[in-house]
Amino acid sequence: PHISAMLRELSTLARQPETAAEAKKRLELARKRIPPDQMARRLVQDNWRPASDQDWLLLSSLGANSMPLFDRLLADQNPAVKLRAIAALSQLADAQPKARLEAFKRLCSLALSEKAGAKVREAAAQALLALKGPATPAERKLLTSRGEAAVPLLGRLVASPDPNTRSYAIACLAAIAKANPKLIAPVADQLLAVALEEKDEKPRDDALRSLAELGWPRDTAELAKAVEREHGTWDVVKHLAARTNAAPRLVGMLTTLAAAGKPSRAFAVLANIAQDAKAGKARAAAIAGLERLAREAAPATQIKALDQLVAIAGKDEALRKKISGFLACLLYTSDAADELDGVDLGGRRII
């Protein structure tokens, strides 16, 4: 009876014109007089529905105890009620850490639900962005457990203005792709975009590390697609090779693409890495790749590889000696096809 009387009093107050500050004071008084769990149970039993701003304020003040009420409102057939409930749930999660995970679960379910409607899904996704989640291990585990269905939502979170949110979303994407190899390609595309466009160091490094953990690129076809797509891919390949043990594999695939001449940009990527004095293992592997091209590739590619090696050699005596050997080999192989007994140099045939 005491609770019923208190609720009647609150309903009367909600219909009176008053300021938000005054409403908060009265609701706080109500909370002191009635424990939140008792109030929530009574509101559920009475099939209570918020009808004013003060009602929504009361709902949010109940903390985790209000989740059964939110469940009822989020299942309402009226989209306007759902949208208002999403806003209130987001405010609750932001204000009361103990209720955050439960609120996060419900927002994720709405954002991923095909039955929820476009506006409701968008509102839930925006609420998650506002919460800067998944900020805790429990939230990341929750999103990761949704598997493939969570990939589009995580793609939205990867584009969040908050760098920490981007890093959290990257970790979830990588975990989902590891659990389902079929998702490596689409997830790698998202991570590659982050690595190419990200200005903050931490999310960019997280994306590069995740790409390396996923074994990207898995083959020359995947690398060729990436090289063709973005002019900055060589930076990604260079960083991957320099920061992981993938240098021989990555540069080896680049060398294979450069030898084939497809895509044409592959040679430029290889040369760019070879010219970068800070690329470490990647640079050494790229120089070895150019040496391989100078020995084995088609004549036009051999000449381009030699040009790059000459530019790189500088005072490196060992590399200069190798280049001399390649030049001698080129002189013989390019002119021997005429089946004559000498080589034409500047109009004179040398025996």
Side-chain angles (χ1 to χ4, degrees), residues 289-315:
L290 290 174
E291 292 174 4
R292 174 185 156 192
L293 293 176
R295 289 193 307 269
E296 304 171 5
T301 304
Q302 283 183 312
I303 292 171
K304 288 199 301 181
L306 278 169
D307 285 343
Q308 290 297 326
L309 288 170
V310 169
I312 293 167
K315 297 181 180 180

mmCIF file of all heavy atoms in Angstrom, residues 289-315:
data_model
loop_
_atom_site.group_PDB
_atom_site.id
_atom_site.type_symbol
_atom_site.label_atom_id
_atom_site.label_comp_id
_atom_site.label_asym_id
_atom_site.label_seq_id
_atom_site.Cartn_x
_atom_site.Cartn_y
_atom_site.Cartn_z
ATOM 1 N N GLY A 289 64.683 -8.979 -53.428
ATOM 2 C CA GLY A 289 63.687 -9.159 -54.478
ATOM 3 C C GLY A 289 64.095 -8.479 -55.766
ATOM 4 O O GLY A 289 63.930 -9.044 -56.860
ATOM 5 N N LEU A 290 64.644 -7.275 -55.669
ATOM 6 C CA LEU A 290 65.138 -6.587 -56.867
ATOM 7 C C LEU A 290 66.294 -7.354 -57.508
ATOM 8 O O LEU A 290 66.396 -7.428 -58.745
ATOM 9 C CB LEU A 290 65.578 -5.165 -56.505
ATOM 10 C CG LEU A 290 64.458 -4.172 -56.147
ATOM 11 C CD1 LEU A 290 65.065 -2.852 -55.675
ATOM 12 C CD2 LEU A 290 63.539 -3.933 -57.342
ATOM 13 N N GLU A 291 67.167 -7.924 -56.679
ATOM 14 C CA GLU A 291 68.267 -8.735 -57.227
ATOM 15 C C GLU A 291 67.719 -9.949 -57.984
ATOM 16 O O GLU A 291 68.214 -10.304 -59.054
ATOM 17 C CB GLU A 291 69.176 -9.196 -56.082
ATOM 18 C CG GLU A 291 69.954 -8.063 -55.424
ATOM 19 C CD GLU A 291 70.720 -8.538 -54.194
ATOM 20 O OE1 GLU A 291 70.697 -9.755 -53.924
ATOM 21 O OE2 GLU A 291 71.329 -7.691 -53.519
ATOM 22 N N ARG A 292 66.674 -10.547 -57.428
ATOM 23 C CA ARG A 292 66.056 -11.685 -58.109
ATOM 24 C C ARG A 292 65.464 -11.263 -59.454
ATOM 25 O O ARG A 292 65.613 -11.969 -60.464
ATOM 26 C CB ARG A 292 64.962 -12.269 -57.215
ATOM 27 C CG ARG A 292 64.137 -13.366 -57.867
ATOM 28 C CD ARG A 292 63.011 -13.805 -56.954
ATOM 29 N NE ARG A 292 61.922 -14.385 -57.692
ATOM 30 C CZ ARG A 292 60.722 -14.652 -57.191
ATOM 31 N NH1 ARG A 292 60.475 -14.365 -55.919
ATOM 32 N NH2 ARG A 292 59.774 -15.183 -57.940
ATOM 33 N N LEU A 293 64.821 -10.097 -59.487
ATOM 34 C CA LEU A 293 64.261 -9.600 -60.738
ATOM 35 C C LEU A 293 65.369 -9.303 -61.751
ATOM 36 O O LEU A 293 65.214 -9.546 -62.948
ATOM 37 C CB LEU A 293 63.436 -8.343 -60.484
ATOM 38 C CG LEU A 293 62.151 -8.523 -59.669
ATOM 39 C CD1 LEU A 293 61.486 -7.172 -59.421
ATOM 40 C CD2 LEU A 293 61.179 -9.457 -60.373
ATOM 41 N N ALA A 294 66.485 -8.764 -61.263
ATOM 42 C CA ALA A 294 67.601 -8.457 -62.165
ATOM 43 C C ALA A 294 68.196 -9.720 -62.779
ATOM 44 O O ALA A 294 68.769 -9.685 -63.870
ATOM 45 C CB ALA A 294 68.676 -7.679 -61.407
ATOM 46 N N ARG A 295 68.068 -10.847 -62.080
ATOM 47 C CA ARG A 295 68.601 -12.108 -62.598
ATOM 48 C C ARG A 295 67.608 -12.852 -63.481
ATOM 49 O O ARG A 295 67.985 -13.419 -64.512
ATOM 50 C CB ARG A 295 68.989 -13.033 -61.437
ATOM 51 C CG ARG A 295 70.201 -12.636 -60.647
ATOM 52 C CD ARG A 295 70.669 -13.774 -59.749
ATOM 53 N NE ARG A 295 69.586 -14.274 -58.898
ATOM 54 C CZ ARG A 295 69.316 -13.813 -57.677
ATOM 55 N NH1 ARG A 295 70.053 -12.819 -57.194
ATOM 56 N NH2 ARG A 295 68.333 -14.307 -56.962
ATOM 57 N N GLU A 296 66.323 -12.842 -63.078
ATOM 58 C CA GLU A 296 65.387 -13.801 -63.641
ATOM 59 C C GLU A 296 64.233 -13.211 -64.436
ATOM 60 O O GLU A 296 63.576 -13.951 -65.182
ATOM 61 C CB GLU A 296 64.788 -14.655 -62.506
ATOM 62 C CG GLU A 296 65.837 -15.360 -61.655
ATOM 63 C CD GLU A 296 65.217 -16.003 -60.423
ATOM 64 O OE1 GLU A 296 63.971 -15.963 -60.302
ATOM 65 O OE2 GLU A 296 65.966 -16.525 -59.581
ATOM 66 N N ALA A 297 63.956 -11.933 -64.301
ATOM 67 C CA ALA A 297 62.752 -11.365 -64.919
ATOM 68 C C ALA A 297 62.952 -11.115 -66.408
ATOM 69 O O ALA A 297 64.037 -11.303 -66.962
ATOM 70 C CB ALA A 297 62.372 -10.068 -64.210
ATOM 71 N N ALA A 298 61.883 -10.662 -67.049
ATOM 72 C CA ALA A 298 61.962 -10.272 -68.461
ATOM 73 C C ALA A 298 62.905 -9.082 -68.595
ATOM 74 O O ALA A 298 63.086 -8.316 -67.642
ATOM 75 C CB ALA A 298 60.563 -9.908 -68.961
ATOM 76 N N PRO A 299 63.521 -8.912 -69.787
ATOM 77 C CA PRO A 299 64.533 -7.853 -69.948
ATOM 78 C C PRO A 299 64.084 -6.470 -69.483
ATOM 79 O O PRO A 299 64.841 -5.765 -68.821
ATOM 80 C CB PRO A 299 64.808 -7.880 -71.459
ATOM 81 C CG PRO A 299 64.559 -9.295 -71.846
ATOM 82 C CD PRO A 299 63.422 -9.759 -70.994
ATOM 83 N N ALA A 300 62.863 -6.070 -69.819
ATOM 84 C CA ALA A 300 62.402 -4.735 -69.422
ATOM 85 C C ALA A 300 62.364 -4.595 -67.897
ATOM 86 O O ALA A 300 62.761 -3.562 -67.343
ATOM 87 C CB ALA A 300 61.016 -4.472 -70.010
ATOM 88 N N THR A 301 61.922 -5.657 -67.225
ATOM 89 C CA THR A 301 61.868 -5.628 -65.760
ATOM 90 C C THR A 301 63.272 -5.714 -65.177
ATOM 91 O O THR A 301 63.551 -5.099 -64.141
ATOM 92 C CB THR A 301 61.002 -6.783 -65.236
ATOM 93 O OG1 THR A 301 59.706 -6.698 -65.828
ATOM 94 C CG2 THR A 301 60.845 -6.712 -63.720
ATOM 95 N N GLN A 302 64.142 -6.470 -65.825
ATOM 96 C CA GLN A 302 65.535 -6.545 -65.364
ATOM 97 C C GLN A 302 66.173 -5.163 -65.339
ATOM 98 O O GLN A 302 66.852 -4.782 -64.386
ATOM 99 C CB GLN A 302 66.343 -7.464 -66.287
ATOM 100 C CG GLN A 302 66.103 -8.953 -66.074
ATOM 101 C CD GLN A 302 66.981 -9.791 -66.974
ATOM 102 O OE1 GLN A 302 67.058 -9.539 -68.175
ATOM 103 N NE2 GLN A 302 67.632 -10.784 -66.405
ATOM 104 N N ILE A 303 65.945 -4.408 -66.408
ATOM 105 C CA ILE A 303 66.540 -3.071 -66.505
ATOM 106 C C ILE A 303 65.990 -2.157 -65.406
ATOM 107 O O ILE A 303 66.737 -1.411 -64.761
ATOM 108 C CB ILE A 303 66.282 -2.474 -67.906
ATOM 109 C CG1 ILE A 303 67.069 -3.280 -68.958
ATOM 110 C CG2 ILE A 303 66.685 -0.999 -67.954
ATOM 111 C CD1 ILE A 303 66.725 -2.916 -70.387
ATOM 112 N N LYS A 304 64.673 -2.221 -65.172
ATOM 113 C CA LYS A 304 64.087 -1.401 -64.105
ATOM 114 C C LYS A 304 64.663 -1.790 -62.743
ATOM 115 O O LYS A 304 64.948 -0.921 -61.910
ATOM 116 C CB LYS A 304 62.567 -1.577 -64.100
ATOM 117 C CG LYS A 304 61.856 -0.913 -65.250
ATOM 118 C CD LYS A 304 60.368 -0.704 -64.962
ATOM 119 C CE LYS A 304 59.649 -1.986 -64.675
ATOM 120 N NZ LYS A 304 58.200 -1.769 -64.415
ATOM 121 N N ALA A 305 64.836 -3.094 -62.524
ATOM 122 C CA ALA A 305 65.382 -3.553 -61.250
ATOM 123 C C ALA A 305 66.816 -3.066 -61.070
ATOM 124 O O ALA A 305 67.213 -2.637 -59.975
ATOM 125 C CB ALA A 305 65.320 -5.074 -61.176
ATOM 126 N N LEU A 306 67.596 -3.117 -62.157
ATOM 127 C CA LEU A 306 68.978 -2.632 -62.085
ATOM 128 C C LEU A 306 69.035 -1.134 -61.806
ATOM 129 O O LEU A 306 69.884 -0.666 -61.035
ATOM 130 C CB LEU A 306 69.706 -2.954 -63.394
ATOM 131 C CG LEU A 306 70.259 -4.387 -63.492
ATOM 132 C CD1 LEU A 306 70.711 -4.669 -64.898
ATOM 133 C CD2 LEU A 306 71.413 -4.567 -62.511
ATOM 134 N N ASP A 307 68.148 -0.383 -62.447
ATOM 135 C CA ASP A 307 68.098 1.061 -62.185
ATOM 136 C C ASP A 307 67.876 1.331 -60.699
ATOM 137 O O ASP A 307 68.525 2.207 -60.106
ATOM 138 C CB ASP A 307 66.968 1.703 -62.997
ATOM 139 C CG ASP A 307 67.322 1.846 -64.466
ATOM 140 O OD1 ASP A 307 68.523 1.755 -64.785
ATOM 141 O OD2 ASP A 307 66.399 2.043 -65.276
ATOM 142 N N GLN A 308 66.954 0.582 -60.099
ATOM 143 C CA GLN A 308 66.670 0.757 -58.676
ATOM 144 C C GLN A 308 67.871 0.353 -57.823
ATOM 145 O O GLN A 308 68.218 1.036 -56.858
ATOM 146 C CB GLN A 308 65.446 -0.080 -58.276
ATOM 147 C CG GLN A 308 64.139 0.431 -58.850
ATOM 148 C CD GLN A 308 63.783 1.815 -58.348
ATOM 149 O OE1 GLN A 308 64.072 2.160 -57.204
ATOM 150 N NE2 GLN A 308 63.184 2.621 -59.200
ATOM 151 N N LEU A 309 68.508 -0.748 -58.174
ATOM 152 C CA LEU A 309 69.667 -1.223 -57.401
ATOM 153 C C LEU A 309 70.821 -0.232 -57.483
ATOM 154 O O LEU A 309 71.509 0.020 -56.486
ATOM 155 C CB LEU A 309 70.104 -2.595 -57.901
ATOM 156 C CG LEU A 309 69.165 -3.757 -57.551
ATOM 157 C CD1 LEU A 309 69.575 -5.016 -58.291
ATOM 158 C CD2 LEU A 309 69.163 -4.009 -56.040
ATOM 159 N N VAL A 310 71.040 0.344 -58.673
ATOM 160 C CA VAL A 310 72.102 1.343 -58.838
ATOM 161 C C VAL A 310 71.815 2.555 -57.961
ATOM 162 O O VAL A 310 72.698 3.106 -57.308
ATOM 163 C CB VAL A 310 72.233 1.751 -60.319
ATOM 164 C CG1 VAL A 310 73.138 2.978 -60.451
ATOM 165 C CG2 VAL A 310 72.792 0.600 -61.133
ATOM 166 N N ALA A 311 70.537 2.970 -57.922
ATOM 167 C CA ALA A 311 70.166 4.133 -57.110
ATOM 168 C C ALA A 311 70.333 3.853 -55.623
ATOM 169 O O ALA A 311 70.658 4.749 -54.838
ATOM 170 C CB ALA A 311 68.718 4.527 -57.419
ATOM 171 N N ILE A 312 70.125 2.608 -55.233
ATOM 172 C CA ILE A 312 70.181 2.241 -53.818
ATOM 173 C C ILE A 312 71.608 1.961 -53.364
ATOM 174 O O ILE A 312 71.977 2.222 -52.219
ATOM 175 C CB ILE A 312 69.307 0.986 -53.566
ATOM 176 C CG1 ILE A 312 67.831 1.330 -53.785
ATOM 177 C CG2 ILE A 312 69.502 0.436 -52.162
ATOM 178 C CD1 ILE A 312 66.941 0.112 -53.865
ATOM 179 N N ALA A 313 72.435 1.455 -54.268
ATOM 180 C CA ALA A 313 73.749 0.907 -53.894
ATOM 181 C C ALA A 313 74.619 1.920 -53.146
ATOM 182 O O ALA A 313 75.169 1.625 -52.089
ATOM 183 C CB ALA A 313 74.470 0.400 -55.136
ATOM 184 N N GLY A 314 74.756 3.133 -53.715
ATOM 185 C CA GLY A 314 75.594 4.138 -53.067
ATOM 186 C C GLY A 314 77.003 3.623 -52.826
ATOM 187 O O GLY A 314 77.704 3.213 -53.749
ATOM 188 N N LYS A 315 77.409 3.588 -51.550
ATOM 189 C CA LYS A 315 78.750 3.132 -51.201
ATOM 190 C C LYS A 315 78.772 1.658 -50.771
ATOM 191 O O LYS A 315 79.777 1.189 -50.235
ATOM 192 C CB LYS A 315 79.307 3.999 -50.076
ATOM 193 C CG LYS A 315 79.486 5.468 -50.462
ATOM 194 C CD LYS A 315 80.059 6.273 -49.307
ATOM 195 C CE LYS A 315 80.231 7.732 -49.704
ATOM 196 N NZ LYS A 315 80.797 8.540 -48.588
#
